[in-house]
């Protein structure tokens, strides 16, 4: 069986009953895992089973004690699901499981995500979240042509592109073009490679490595390039092609005497890799953005009145636009929505979590990107930052204020601090603003008010909204229905 055949032999889904049973069985597989990603998947699976239990018409919701175990037993036996279309709550829970499974990246989890993806689109053929999941999954499986088609279907169903899908499509297409250009170059540079394209790529590759091992690069190179050409012709998974391209170029750097030819090949390889990561950009150096540290940020806000605008339903009907714009600095968060009459029109500081791409293209003076894991934070900056959309960008010293500046560990603050709380904690810590007001902060009691594409995002349970509200109210100098003043 070829690599491509193995890839396409994965289990597929479509029937809701079968999909839910697969999720229930998989929940048993990840119990007790020490892998952080699988632990998070296990939690989403547990929530799905609870939702399933409360939406199934054939059985009552489980008692709190031993509820998950009872659900698992019922799932394996094959509980009936509602005869009507998949309920919204169950759909959201399935999507949450699939997204965590996709983050895991292991074969078993990718299989589970594929089953969920098939099922969601069978039940909701025009689900935007379903098509975006399908596209991301196909990309992870190395099926880039199909991934582009799924991304385009997603775009046809939405007016907003908060996840940067257009850039992703452009990047995948540009990367494919550059990869083809690179392989054509390698074929020209190694004319004998064509002699080795009619056989199994794995066998030819092994012969090439064996020739290299005995110091015969003249025989090794055409075989290695021939194997690469065969993999491309078979449409092998992108990850496999990229790995072998990297290995080939590593070997060539130690053997090649033609520096100019090698440099040309390396440049094309780097270009197609970069395009897969973030898509083509006019200025890969990020438009001369100025990094600012904690001290430099302090100097920029010292003595200025500041308001922080919640993404709440209360703000969306407040008619406070003029008052908001009267502050020296206006801070907004993540997927904020602008409606000047209610929200004001200015955004001076955009504070956002690194995981989402909403509003990164909106022009602001300062952008602060928060994230708990340094490597993930840096990756997001490289892939999401839009050249020219900000003048100043917070550096590592401003990455995670509650944990890194306040030194509040999980023993003191167990929940993951929200973007709003990180920003507020930072401003309170610096204590250089004569006015520090929170507008519309009701901790989502009035619902969310965001750009359309973000409205389906769940108000996650990993945050401690009650603790954050308590922290704010303990420091409040005055409180009205719309405004909490900390100074």
């Amino acid at each position: 069986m070829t690599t491509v055949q193995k890839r396409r032999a994965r289990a597929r889904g479509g029937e809701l009953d079968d999909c839910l049973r697969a999720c229930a069985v998989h929940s048993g597989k990840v119990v007790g895992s020490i892998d952080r990603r699988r632990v998070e998947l296990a939690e989403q699976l547990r929530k799905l089973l609870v939702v399933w239990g409360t939406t199934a018409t054939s059985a009552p919701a489980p008692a709190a004690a031993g509820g998950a175990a009872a659900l698992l037993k019922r799932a394996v036996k094959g509980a009936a699901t509602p005869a009507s279309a998949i309920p919204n709550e169950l759909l959201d829970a399935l999507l949450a499981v699939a997204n965590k499974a996709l983050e895991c990246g292991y074969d078993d989890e990718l299989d589970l995500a594929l089953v969920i993806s098939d099922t969601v689109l069978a039940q909701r053929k025009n689900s935007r979240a379903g098509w975006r999941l399908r596209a991301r999954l196909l990309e992870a499986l190395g099926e880039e042509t199909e991934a582009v088609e799924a991304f385009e279907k997603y775009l046809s169903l939405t007016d907003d592109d908060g996840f940067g899908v257009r850039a992703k499509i452009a990047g995948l297409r540009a990367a494919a073009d550059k990869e083809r250009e690179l392989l054509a170059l390698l074929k020209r540079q190694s004319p004998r490679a064509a002699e080795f394209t009619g056989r199994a790529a794995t066998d030819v590759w092994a012969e090439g490595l064996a020739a290299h091992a005995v110091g015969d690069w003249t025989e090794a190179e055409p075989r290695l390039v021939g194997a690469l050409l065969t993999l491309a012709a078979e449409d092998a998974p992108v990850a496999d092609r990229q790995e072998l391209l990297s290995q080939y170029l590593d070997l060539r750097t130690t053997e090649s005497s033609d520096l100019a030819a090698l440099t040309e090949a390396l440049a094309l390889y780097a270009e197609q890799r970069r395009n897969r990561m973030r898509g083509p950009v006019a200025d890969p150096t990020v438009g001369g953005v100025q990094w600012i540290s904690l001290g430099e940020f302090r100097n920029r806000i010292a003595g200025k009145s500041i308001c922080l605008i919640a993404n709440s339903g209360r703000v969306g009907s407040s008619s406070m636009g003029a008052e908001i714009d009267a502050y020296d600095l206006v801070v907004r968060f993540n997927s904020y929505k602008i409606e000047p009459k209610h929200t004001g029109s200015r955004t001076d500081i955009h504070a956002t979590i690194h995981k989402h791409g909403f509003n990164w293209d909106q022009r602001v003076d300062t952008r602060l990107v928060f994230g708990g894991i340094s490597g993930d934070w840096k990756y997001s900056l490289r892939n999401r930052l839009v050249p020219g959309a900000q003048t100043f960008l917070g550096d590592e010293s401003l990455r995670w204020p509650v944990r890194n500046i306040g030194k509040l560990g999980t023993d003191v603050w167990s929940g993951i601090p929200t973007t709003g709380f990180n920003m507020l904690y930072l401003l309170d810590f610096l204590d250089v603003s004569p006015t520090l007001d929170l507008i519309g902060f009701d901790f989502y009691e009035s619902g969310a008010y965001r750009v359309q594409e973000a409205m389906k995002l769940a108000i996650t349970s990993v945050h401690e909204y009650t603790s954050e509200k308590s922290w704010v109210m303990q420091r409040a100098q005055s409180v009205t229905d719309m405004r909490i003043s900390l100074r």
Side-chain angles (χ1 to χ4, degrees):
M1 183 178 288
T2 67
T3 304
V4 178
Q5 288 172 326
K6 289 178 182 178
R7 179 187 63 189
R8 291 175 178 166
R10 292 179 180 272
R12 304 305 296 257
E15 294 297 327
L16 184 55
D17 283 339
D18 293 339
C19 175
L20 291 169
R21 281 193 290 272
C23 289
V25 171
H26 200 89
S27 69
K29 296 180 181 179
V30 294
V31 170
S33 174
I34 59 174
D35 185 308
R36 174 183 61 84
R37 293 168 296 182
R38 280 182 163 154
V39 170
E40 293 173 354
L41 172 60
E43 175 61 15
Q44 292 302 327
L45 283 164
R46 185 195 66 79
K47 292 178 180 179
L48 169 64
L49 294 178
V50 171
V51 171
W52 182 16
T54 57
T55 57
T57 58
S58 63
L71 279 167
L72 179 57
K73 291 177 182 178
R74 190 164 73 240
V76 174
K77 291 179 180 178
T81 52
S84 58
I86 182 172
N88 289 336
E89 189 177 7
L90 187 57
L91 174 67
D92 291 342
L94 277 170
L95 289 169
V97 168
N99 282 317
K100 283 299 178 184
L102 184 54
E103 288 178 18
C104 287
Y106 305 120
D107 274 352
D108 284 352
E109 277 70 33
L110 291 178
D111 283 339
L112 179 65
L114 186 58
V115 169
I116 294 175
S117 171
D118 286 345
T119 302
V120 167
L121 292 178
Q123 301 289 321
R124 299 277 189 95
K125 65 179 182 179
N126 287 325
S127 167
R128 289 176 299 178
W131 279 108
R132 180 170 171 265
L133 168 65
R134 169 63 61 84
R136 292 167 59 225
L137 178 57
L138 289 169
E139 184 186 2
L141 293 174
E143 300 182 18
E144 286 191 348
T145 301
E146 294 88 343
V148 167
E149 293 173 357
F151 276 129
E152 288 178 331
K153 176 64 175 179
Y154 163 80
L155 285 178
S156 73
L157 297 170
T158 181
D159 295 326
D160 297 309
D161 186 21
F163 294 105
V165 170
R166 288 186 178 87
K168 169 61 71 176
I169 291 173
L172 292 177
R173 285 177 169 158
D177 289 342
K178 291 298 179 183
E179 185 181 346
R180 283 191 291 270
E181 189 177 342
L182 171 58
L183 290 171
L185 174 65
L186 298 183
K187 186 177 181 180
R188 292 195 303 272
Q189 292 178 345
S190 181
R192 288 185 56 211
E195 300 174 16
F196 303 97
T197 56
R199 296 165 48 203
T202 52
D203 294 340
V204 176
W205 184 263
E207 291 174 8
L209 292 180
H212 174 264
V214 297
D216 191 353
W217 182 246
T218 301
E219 292 299 322
E221 183 172 29
R223 287 171 170 79
L224 297 175
V225 174
L228 292 172
L229 295 174
T230 299
L231 287 175
E234 291 180 350
D235 191 27
V238 171
D240 292 350
R241 303 200 310 262
Q242 293 294 300
E243 181 181 355
L244 294 188
L245 268 171
S246 177
Q247 289 182 27
Y248 162 73
L249 290 171
D250 282 344
L251 295 175
R252 184 170 166 180
T253 57
T254 64
E255 300 288 347
S256 179
S257 59
D258 189 342
L259 183 58
L262 174 61
T263 300
E264 186 179 4
L266 289 173
L268 285 172
Y269 175 77
E271 184 70 9
Q272 56 96 31
R273 289 285 289 178
R274 189 185 66 77
N275 277 314
R276 280 195 170 89
M277 289 181 66
R278 67 158 295 160
V281 294
D283 182 2
T285 62
V286 199
V289 67
Q290 299 179 50
W291 293 86
I292 56 173
S293 64
L294 175 62
E296 290 165 330
F297 179 73
R298 177 191 182 280
N299 294 338
R300 291 194 60 77
I301 67 171
K304 297 180 179 179
S305 62
I306 300 178
C307 67
L308 293 80
I309 312 302
N311 296 341
S312 68
R314 187 170 296 183
V315 169
S317 58
S318 68
S319 298
M320 288 188 64
E323 291 183 59
I324 290 171
D325 283 339
Y327 286 82
D328 294 330
L329 296 175
V330 178
V331 181
R332 302 188 196 273
F333 303 101
N334 296 316
S335 54
Y336 68 85
K337 179 179 179 180
I338 293 292
E339 189 173 341
K341 176 183 176 181
H342 301 301
T343 66
S345 58
R346 257 182 36 246
T347 305
D348 301 295
I349 300 172
H350 178 214
T352 181
I353 190 68
H354 77 91
K355 293 184 176 181
H356 297 309
F358 300 108
N359 291 319
W360 288 52
D361 59 341
Q362 298 302 302
R363 184 70 179 87
V364 296
D365 180 75
T366 302
R367 183 162 278 112
L368 299 183
V369 181
F370 299 140
I373 300 174
S374 179
D376 293 348
W377 175 79
K378 291 174 182 175
Y379 181 88
S380 292
L381 288 183
R382 286 195 301 270
N383 288 282
R384 297 188 188 279
L385 210 62
V386 177
Q390 56 281 309
T391 302
F392 300 99
L393 177 67
D395 70 5
E396 186 98 17
S397 67
L398 292 162
R399 172 174 59 82
W400 206 224
V402 171
R403 301 290 196 221
N404 297 345
I405 296 172
K407 305 299 182 184
L408 299 184
T410 55
D411 56 329
V412 177
W413 199 275
S414 59
I416 298 175
T418 62
T419 302
F421 187 55
N422 267 302
M423 188 71 217
L424 180 57
Y425 190 94
L426 172 62
L427 296 173
D428 184 71
F429 172 84
L430 293 173
D431 195 21
V432 292
S433 305
T435 302
L436 186 56
D437 289 349
L438 286 68
I439 307 296
F441 274 72
D442 58 10
F443 303 89
Y444 291 113
E445 291 176 5
S446 61
Y449 184 75
R450 305 163 168 161
V451 294
Q452 183 60 39
E453 191 56 35
M455 287 301 291
K456 288 290 288 182
L457 294 179
I459 297 175
T460 178
S461 61
V462 301
H463 303 304
E464 292 188 358
Y465 294 107
T466 301
S467 299
E468 292 186 4
K469 181 177 182 180
S470 176
W471 187 95
V472 168
M473 299 311 293
Q474 288 173 10
R475 290 159 177 77
Q477 302 297 309
S478 67
V479 179
T480 67
D481 184 53
M482 281 300 301
R483 194 188 325 256
I484 303 173
S485 297
L486 271 63
R487 297 290 186 273

